[in-house]
Amino acid sequence: MNKLRVTGQPPKRLTFAQADRAISALAAHFIESGLPANSVIAIQLPNTVEFMLTVLAAHRAGLIVALLPMLWRQAELTVALNRTGARAIVTTSKIDGVSHADLAMNAAAEAFSIRHVCGFGDDLPEGMASLDHAIANPSETTRAYIQDGRKAAVISFDVTADGFRAVPRTHLSLIAGGLAVFLESDVIQGATIMSAFAPSSFAGLTSSLLVWLLSGGTLSLHHPFDGDLFEQQINDDGCDTLVAPASLALRLTEVDMPSRLPTLRNVIGLWRAPEQILASPSWTTPHAALTDIYLFGEAGLFGARRAADGTPAPILPGPHGAPRDIRGSSIAGETLITPRGTLGLRGPMVAVAAYAPPAPTSDSLMTPPPRDYVDTDYAARLDRATGTVCITAPPSGTMAVGGYRFLSQDLQEWAKRLGQGALLTALPDRLSGYRLAGRAHDNARAREALAELGLNPLMVEAFRERSGP
C-alpha cells in the first residue's frame, strides 16, 4: 500500500492466474536474453510484488537467485556480483528516492560477468531493459529444463568473523526453511498473510514467499515501514497472519491490538538478535498467537510458538520437530552446544559447506575434524536447572544493525579514511542490535566521503547533523 511512496508506482493486486502469466513473461525474457540454465541472476528489489514475481520467474527459467540487501551500495554490490559470477542483475528505477538503477549500472560496469541489466519502473537509464515492458508484451518462449530440488536455488550473503560469505542453498533447503516457519506457527490453509519483513535474506524469503506458497492463500506486502498505512493495509486486506520483525510485533500489544487489528490471529516475529528473546516481554494478546523465529544470520533459523502465558518457549538441545510441541512431528533441525561454548545448527536447511573452515595449509600435519554442523558463533550455555539452551551473546568480531552485518574492525578502517579526529562507533540498541554514531570535524564532508566510497546509508548517516540537547 505504501508502494507509491517507495517506488513511485501504484500498488498492484494480482490473481494467481495473472501472477502466473507475469511469471511466464519474465521467465521468457530471461531466456531470450541469453541467460543459460543454472546461471546466477542478482535481485535488489523492495518488498513489493515485483520481487516475488522475479524470484519465481528466475526459478521457472532454471536460474539461481542471488539476494542483494536493499542497503547495499556500489562497493558491496560489486563484491557480491563478482563473488557469485552473476550474469544478470534486476532492480527498480528508484527506491525511497535513491536511484537504484544507476547503482546497478555502476556495479555492473565493475563486474565482468554481468551481461544483462534490467529493471522495473520509469526513467530507466540507457542500456537497462524494462521488465514492465516484458510483462506487458509477453512471449511464449520456454526451454526444456528438468527441475531438480537438489540444485542451487538461492544465494544469500553473510558476514562472519572470517569475513564475507556467499551462502548457496538448494530448493530442498529453501523448502525446509519454509516448512519450519509454516508448521511451527500453524499457518492455516488459505491464509491471508501480511509480510512486513525485507525478503532479501534466507529468513525473509522463507517467511514470506515460502509460507505463502505452502498455505495457498493471499500474500500482502508492506515495504518497511509506514505505521498508519501498515495498520490500514492489514484491516483492508483482512489479514489473519502477520510476518514482521519481533520488535514491531511486540509493540502491537501496546496499541490495543484486539480493537485496532481485529482480524489478526497469528503473528510470526523474526528475531535478528535471538539473544534478546528470553528477556523479552510476555505476549499479552490472547486472540492472536505469537511464534518466535530465531535468526542466526544466514546460517539457519528455528521457531518456537509461545506458551499459553505468553512467555518464550524453552529450547532444548537436540533434534526439534515442526511443530515442536507435537511428539513425532517431522524433524526441522537440531541445536547443540559446541566445544567453544557457542550454538551450533544442523539440519536440512543448514548450508554446512558455505561455513566450512578454511582448508589447512599444504604443509600441515593435522587433519581438521569433520564437522556436520554450522557454528553460529552465538555464545550459548545449558541452564543447570532446566537443561534448556540459553543464548547469551551475539558473535564477537561482527556487528549487526537491523539485518545489515559487518566486521567490527571495519568501523575503524572507515573512520581512518576520513582523516584525523574522525570517530565511528556502534552503540548497543534494543531494537536493532546496534546503532551507529559518528563524529568528524565536518560531518557533511564525512557523509560525502563515505558515499563516494560506495558505503551504505547506515554508515553515511552516522555522521548526520544532530540538534537538541
Side-chain angles (χ1 to χ4, degrees):
M1 186 171 265
N2 60 340
K3 184 180 178 182
L4 186 62
R5 175 189 64 80
V6 175
T7 67
Q9 294 183 305
K12 185 180 295 184
R13 184 183 296 268
L14 301 176
T15 65
F16 272 97
Q18 291 171 330
D20 183 67
R21 288 194 290 271
I23 291 166
S24 294
L26 291 174
H29 175 82
F30 296 147
I31 295 169
E32 291 173 352
S33 298
L35 298 177
N38 297 313
S39 58
V40 175
I41 180 171
I43 295 177
Q44 188 180 48
L45 291 169
N47 190 28
T48 61
V49 66
E50 286 80 10
F51 187 104
M52 305 303 170
L53 295 177
T54 304
V55 171
L56 293 173
H59 287 161
R60 184 170 292 184
L63 306 176
I64 302 167
V65 175
L67 304 171
L68 303 177
M70 290 297 310
L71 283 174
W72 280 10
R73 296 298 184 255
Q74 185 172 342
E76 291 153 315
L77 290 176
T78 302
V79 171
L81 295 175
N82 283 322
R83 183 70 62 89
T84 58
R87 300 288 292 269
I89 182 169
V90 177
T91 188
T92 191
S93 56
K94 288 185 178 180
I95 304 175
D96 281 325
V98 176
S99 178
H100 278 253
D102 288 339
L103 291 174
M105 293 294 284
N106 292 334
E110 297 186 29
F112 298 111
S113 60
I114 294 291
R115 295 292 181 270
H116 188 57
V117 184
C118 45
F120 295 93
D122 304 321
D123 301 323
L124 297 177
E126 185 177 353
M128 179 174 284
S130 171
L131 294 182
D132 291 315
H133 182 268
I135 293 175
N137 301 275
S139 167
E140 297 182 358
T141 300
T142 59
R143 71 170 152 218
Y145 177 75
I146 299 176
Q147 296 289 346
D148 188 343
R150 298 166 296 180
K151 291 186 176 180
V154 298
I155 301 172
S156 55
F157 300 93
D158 203 355
V159 174
T160 68
D162 295 324
F164 183 84
R165 292 180 184 269
V167 184
R169 276 188 169 85
T170 65
H171 288 272
L172 294 178
S173 295
L174 201 61
I175 294 170
L179 283 170
V181 178
F182 176 77
L183 295 175
E184 180 62 27
S185 57
D186 196 23
V187 176
I188 62 172
Q189 288 295 310
T192 303
I193 303 165
M194 159 67 78
S195 175
F197 193 92
S200 53
S201 65
F202 171 66
L205 194 64
T206 54
S207 62
S208 57
L209 178 63
L210 268 294
V211 169
W212 165 56
L213 293 176
L214 290 167
S215 72
T218 302
L219 178 63
S220 296
L221 300 168
H222 181 90
H223 185 78
F225 186 72
D226 185 318
D228 293 336
L229 284 178
F230 168 76
E231 185 175 326
Q232 181 184 344
Q233 189 175 358
I234 290 179
N235 290 325
D236 287 352
D237 294 346
C239 298
D240 51 62
T241 302
L242 171 65
V243 179
S247 55
L248 168 62
L250 289 171
R251 282 189 170 186
L252 295 178
T253 62
E254 304 171 3
V255 296
D256 192 16
M257 180 176 161
S259 63
R260 298 181 65 171
L261 302 171
T263 61
L264 276 186
R265 294 292 179 269
N266 202 346
V267 178
I268 301 173
L270 283 72
W271 291 87
R272 292 191 179 104
E275 71 276 6
Q276 298 179 359
I277 296 180
L278 285 180
S280 65
S282 297
W283 181 253
T284 57
T285 306
H287 88 284
L290 172 65
T291 302
D292 295 313
I293 305 298
Y294 293 65
L295 308 183
F296 301 93
E298 296 302 305
L301 57 84
F302 59 81
R305 197 174 178 88
R306 292 227 170 179
D309 61 358
T311 57
I315 303 299
L316 295 172
H320 58 269
R324 64 174 58 238
D325 59 350
I326 297 180
R327 187 181 299 273
S329 59
S330 299
I331 299 301
E334 183 178 354
T335 55
L336 65 151
I337 304 297
T338 72
R340 297 176 54 231
T342 54
L343 185 75
L345 297 180
R346 183 160 45 200
M349 77 178 75
V350 179
V352 176
Y355 290 87
T361 57
S362 58
D363 59 347
S364 174
L365 299 178
M366 297 182 63
T367 302
R371 199 169 80 181
D372 62 346
Y373 64 89
V374 168
D375 189 342
T376 67
D377 290 328
Y378 280 80
R381 61 177 177 81
L382 295 181
D383 185 273
R384 293 184 178 180
T386 62
T388 58
V389 175
C390 299
I391 303 170
T392 57
S396 60
T398 62
M399 292 182 174
V401 179
Y404 177 74
R405 303 182 79 182
F406 55 93
L407 292 174
S408 305
Q409 66 188 31
D410 286 346
L411 288 180
Q412 300 306 317
E413 293 298 324
W414 292 325
K416 288 178 182 178
R417 300 187 185 187
L418 299 176
Q420 188 175 4
L423 174 66
L424 182 60
T425 187
L427 305 174
D429 184 84
R430 178 67 181 170
L431 296 180
S432 61
Y434 287 92
R435 56 187 173 87
L436 298 181
R439 185 183 65 187
H441 294 304
D442 187 336
N443 281 345
R445 292 190 62 183
R447 289 197 302 272
E448 292 176 3
L450 291 176
E452 289 173 359
L453 290 173
L455 299 182
N456 70 68
L458 287 176
M459 307 303 162
V460 175
E461 291 305 310
F463 290 91
R464 65 188 179 278
E465 298 295 343
R466 295 170 175 82
S467 59

